[in-house]
Amino acid sequence: DNFYYCPHHPTAGRGAYKIVCDCRKPMPGLLHRAAKEMALNLENCVLIGDKASDVGAGVAAGCRTILVKTGHGDKELKQWKQKFKPNHVASDLSDAVKWLLGNTSQK
């Protein structure tokens, strides 16, 4: 229902945008903002992404997470070094949806 983005970057940002912030993934700031604005319970939400930083933000916010192998996902999975893991790895968005529909009661 809304679009959220982080305009900041700790090294490549310019002027006021060259900062470390809580809205740049893997920090969960944007997810917390969305939850507040849309009255969401993040424990009932799912973050689907193709990067470890996406999964990291979801984990930090308390969401279930799915890494899709499309986009950057397959390469990210092969080089995975994070301590956290996605709840599911899907071949693509359609596979992620199928998994979700079959696992709606799981956290």
Side-chain angles (χ1 to χ4, degrees):
D1 290 336
N2 208 342
F3 292 93
Y4 296 89
Y5 66 94
C6 172
H8 312 112
H9 194 279
T11 59
R14 294 183 182 215
Y17 298 107
K18 187 177 182 177
I19 62 169
V20 174
C21 63
D22 73 344
C23 61
R24 186 167 189 83
K25 296 178 292 186
M27 299 299 290
L30 289 179
L31 298 173
H32 290 154
R33 180 176 157 202
K36 183 178 179 183
E37 291 179 7
M38 294 189 275
L40 301 173
N41 178 346
L42 290 172
E43 290 182 2
N44 295 327
C45 294
V46 179
L47 187 136
I48 301 173
D50 68 342
K51 291 189 174 182
S53 60
D54 299 328
V55 174
V59 168
C63 301
R64 285 188 292 164
T65 59
I66 299 175
L67 178 74
V68 289
K69 290 173 136 183
T70 51
H72 301 279
D74 194 43
K75 182 178 178 184
E76 291 271 313
L77 187 60
K78 289 176 183 171
Q79 299 174 354
W80 199 269
K81 293 183 176 111
Q82 289 70 23
K83 292 180 182 178
F84 57 83
K85 299 278 187 209
N87 294 100
H88 181 66
V89 175
S91 58
D92 55 26
L93 188 57
S94 176
D95 182 40
V97 171
K98 288 175 189 172
W99 182 82
L100 277 173
L101 291 175
N103 293 283
T104 56
S105 65
Q106 292 185 15
K107 169 78 173 112

